[in-house]
Structures are given as structure tokens and as C-alpha cells.
Amino acid sequence: MTHNITLIPGDGIGPEVTLAARKCIEATGVKIEWEEVIAGEEALKKHGDILPPNVLESIKRNQVALKGPITTPIGTGFRSVNVAIRQALDLYACVRPAKSYPGVRSLYKDVDLVIIRENSEDLYAGIEFEEGKAETLNLIAQIRKYAQKNIRTDSGISIKPISRSASERIIRFAFEYALENNRKKVTAVHKANIMKFTDGLFLNTAREIAKEYAGKVAFEEAIVDNMSMQLVQRPRNYDVLVLPNLYGDIISDLCAGLIGGLGVAPGANIGEKIAVFEAVHGAAPKYAGQNKVNPAAMILSGVLMLRYLREGAAAQKLENAVRQVLQEAKSVTYDLKPSRDDPTSVGTREMAEAIISKI
Ligand code: NAD
């Protein structure tokens, strides 16, 4: 069977790593018809829109996409295209496995965690009020009236909505994921001691849903600051973590650090019927076009995609090939060598070729 898949190369290092992933996926023998579409700055230049309608149309039609990272200007400029895609398609579950591979230098061996991050709300909802604007001053006055709290009039405000329904579906997703993948424990991560009505709601929902899985999957809760320390001290004590959007974003980079860096951290954004696969890392603009960065995170995102497509054998073949190349640590990019200027490091293309040769 041929799978129709949307391919978004992205920008920065995106086009290089997606091309590497595409070649590796094709080398497994799985038949794929790629439909390439552009989003982000290039789309803005060509079509006057950072997220042209044909991008979402293509993903909706094909139901599966492989996506490179897309740059978001910091502080000013357009909002994240990455977040917009997740929100527009209601890809509510971000799944980010953090798994140690032998040969990858890191402080730990045998880390095997899965981060399940809520993708649709929290401070990422994009509800923001700019400092000094009339509506912001109005909102500040309303808050003063209803909450009887003073907010400085020269403040900007970002809103953090967390709902029972979105919490319920992500927590259920985490428990179902644990069951399907033979995982033993789900840890809900929060800051409910401070944010009682948002993180508190998330936590209470987790406690309720956990009861339905009692005896099948263990449940535990952790405050996000303490979780950060625990993960650094004892990462092997954890299994599946479920988190609201912002903590999920931060903790997934921390977990990438536990397994040797962003170069080996894959991810998926999953909704009811649609899934978009992308690495945890961003567009790393300083390395763009240099054939330098590690394609493994994107290739391993391809492995997740193949599993999602029920191409289990091809997924396993590709993951084994990546594992072998990482273990040999010969044909790998600079970030996987003992020093960053190691002359034996290879480029993005060459590492992908080495992986293909092991399939
Ligand atoms: P980044 O992940 O792009 O890069 C941070 C650093 O990590 C790089 O400088 C590099 O040293 C290292 N790195 C990242 N990917 C690597 C790889 N494949 N191989 C080797 N080393 C790698 O994070 P950033 O600098 O914070 O973000 C750059 C841009 O990417 C920003 O505009 C940001 O908004 C965007 N971004 C996009 C996504 C996405 O598309 N989903 C995710 C995160 C960041």
C-alpha cells in the first residue's frame, strides 16, 4: 500500500534533516507519495502568508505529515507556525520519547522516558495583551475589580487557560499510551500548589482518571520544579510523564539533555485522526545549509511515523539502523563526537547515508 504523506521541509536546518529522513524512510521499502508544501518565512515571501491554506488542506487530506522545524521570531513578529499547525488541526497530544542509545555520550545510560505534553492550551493558547494597549489597561482594571489584585499598569499579560476537558483527554491519552506500550507508570507534573485553578484542575482530573486504570498502570504526581531535580538525579525512576503545555515543552528539552541532546530527540503531535511528526529541536539557524547537524532526531521521528502507519517492521529496521550507526559512533555528526571540532565527524547527508547502508 502507498501512503500519502505531507512533507513540510521547514526552514533553517529543516530542509536538510527532512531530506535525510525522507531518504532513510524510503530506504525501508515502504511506499510513500510525498506532497511537499511550504510554511513559515518562505511561504510569507512567496504567498504572503506564513501558513497558506494549502498546508492545512494537505495535512487534513493525507492525515499524516513529516515536518521540519520552522523559525519563530522572538519577542516580536509573527506567532509560531508550529503552534498554529497543532492548534488548527487539534493535535492535542505531543509525544516525545527520550531514550538512551548506546554510543551516544550522555550522563546516563538506560533512560527510557516518554513525555506526553498537552498541546492545545495553557500559556501557549496565544491569548496575549500587549503592554500599554487600551484593551490591556481595560483588562487590568477588570482584574483589579474581580480578583482584587493589583497588576502594574505597564504590564503585558499572557493568559493561561487549562480546561477539564482538555486535561481529561491528554491524561487519558497518557494512560492509554502506557497500556498500549507496556509502560508501568504515569506521572502527572504540575504546579498546583501555586496555580490552584489551572494546574489544580489538571491534577485533580489526573487523580480521577488514574482511578480507572488502578491495578493496570501506576499513578504518581510531581511538582514541576521538584520533577526537574528528580529527572536530573534519578531519570530511571520515571516512565510516562504527562504535563500541561509549557512544562511539557521545557521538560522535553531537559529530557533531550538526559539522552545526549536535541540531535537524538524525536517527537509526534497527535490528534483524533491526524498526526504530524517532527523532532524536538528547532531550526538552529546558525547551522542552516552547512550539511552539519544531526539528522537522527528527524529520522527517529520518521520511525515514530512508520509505527503510526502500522509499518512496524520498517520502523524497527530503521530504528535498528540508527542504533547501529550511533553505537559505532564513526559516521556521526559533530554533536555526537567527544569534541565539537572533531575532524572525524561527518555531515548530515553522510550520516543519513551510513544509516541507509545498515537498513
Ligand atoms: P534549536 O533547537 O533550533 O537549537 C538550539 C541548539 O541546539 C542549536 O544551536 C544546536 O547547537 C543544537 N541543535 C539543535 N538541533 C540540532 C541537531 N539536529 N543536531 C545538532 N545540534 C542541534 O533551538 P533555538 O535556537 O531555541 O530555536 C531556533 C528557532 O527554531 C527559533 O526560531 C525557534 O522558535 C524555532 N523552533 C522551532 C521548533 C519547531 O519547529 N517545532 C521547535 C523549537 C524551536
Side-chain angles (χ1 to χ4, degrees), residues 10-11 13 17 67-74 80-83 86 96 117 249 253 261-265 269 278-287 292-298 333-336 340 348:
D11 53 36
I13 58 169
V17 292
K67 175 187 161 299
I70 297 173
T71 306
T72 312
I74 294 179
S80 166
V81 178
N82 312 300
V83 174
R86 293 168 201 159
R96 291 176 163 175
R117 163 188 174 192
D249 188 22
D253 267 40
L262 287 168
V264 286
N269 300 293
E278 63 177 338
V280 175
H281 66 69
K286 69 179 176 191
Y287 294 121
K292 190 170 167 76
V293 296
N294 192 341
M298 200 68 221
T333 45
Y334 75 99
D335 56 310
L336 298 179
R340 302 218 141 202
T348 311

Side-chain angles (χ1 to χ4, degrees), residues 3-66:
H3 302 281
N4 294 312
I5 292 176
T6 301
L7 182 72
I8 308 170
D11 53 36
I13 58 169
E16 300 161 65
V17 292
T18 47
L19 181 63
R22 175 180 176 161
K23 286 188 170 164
C24 289
I25 292 165
E26 284 171 353
T28 65
V30 170
K31 298 224 171 343
I32 292 180
E33 194 75 56
W34 302 96
E35 184 179 351
E36 197 169 314
V37 290
I38 54 166
E41 207 137 42
E42 209 192 322
L44 185 65
K45 277 188 220 140
K46 273 198 186 149
H47 307 296
D49 189 352
I50 50 170
L51 186 55
N54 73 315
V55 176
L56 294 179
E57 277 161 24
S58 169
I59 305 174
K60 280 183 191 160
R61 192 177 338 103
N62 296 325
Q63 302 197 329
V64 176
L66 186 68

